[in-house]
Amino acid sequence: MGKGRKQLNDDFAKLLKKLRLSKGYSLQQLAERSNVTPSYLNRLERGERKTPTFSVLQHIAEGLDVDVNVLVGLDAKDTNEPLSLEEMFFTNEIEFGGN
């Protein structure tokens, strides 16, 4: 991983699986709802992939019908202060235009 890039924390895999199961979705059902392959979702849940793009995180969050902040372990509802970009993205590797 390049300098300055950060990964989602190790709890992401557990959180993703917990959210999916709490909704009663199979991997296939979440894949269909999020337009992310079941095999990729499975690798995320097993912790084999730790740095999905923000776009993928958005798709998964939409498929789970949760805010992306919940998915990355931040809950904007817990504070009256707006989140800074640093707070929102500090645990994610961000890619834009292939960079």
Side-chain angles (χ1 to χ4, degrees):
M1 187 162 23
K3 184 179 178 182
R5 291 180 146 179
K6 298 183 181 182
Q7 292 183 334
L8 291 170
N9 67 37
D10 293 333
D11 293 331
F12 173 73
K14 293 176 189 173
L15 177 62
L16 176 58
K17 187 171 186 174
K18 179 181 175 182
L19 288 170
R20 177 179 62 81
L21 294 175
S22 74
K23 299 285 184 171
Y25 300 148
S26 67
L27 282 169
Q28 182 63 41
Q29 289 169 317
L30 179 56
E32 290 169 4
R33 292 178 55 86
S34 64
N35 200 30
V36 176
T37 66
S39 62
Y40 187 74
L41 291 168
N42 188 36
R43 289 193 311 263
L44 286 171
E45 286 187 359
R46 290 193 324 241
E48 293 177 10
R49 292 295 310 255
K50 295 187 186 227
T51 54
T53 64
F54 189 72
S55 175
V56 169
L57 287 172
Q58 286 180 306
H59 286 291
I60 294 171
E62 289 171 7
L64 290 168
D65 196 30
V66 298
D67 189 277
V68 73
N69 290 323
V70 172
L71 194 58
V72 297
L74 297 174
D75 190 354
K77 296 176 204 152
D78 288 343
T79 179
N80 292 329
E81 297 295 319
L83 294 175
S84 69
L85 288 177
E86 176 71 16
E87 290 169 317
M88 186 174 224
F89 298 117
F90 75 98
T91 59
N92 298 300
E93 175 182 347
I94 306 300
E95 292 184 20
F96 182 76
N99 296 317

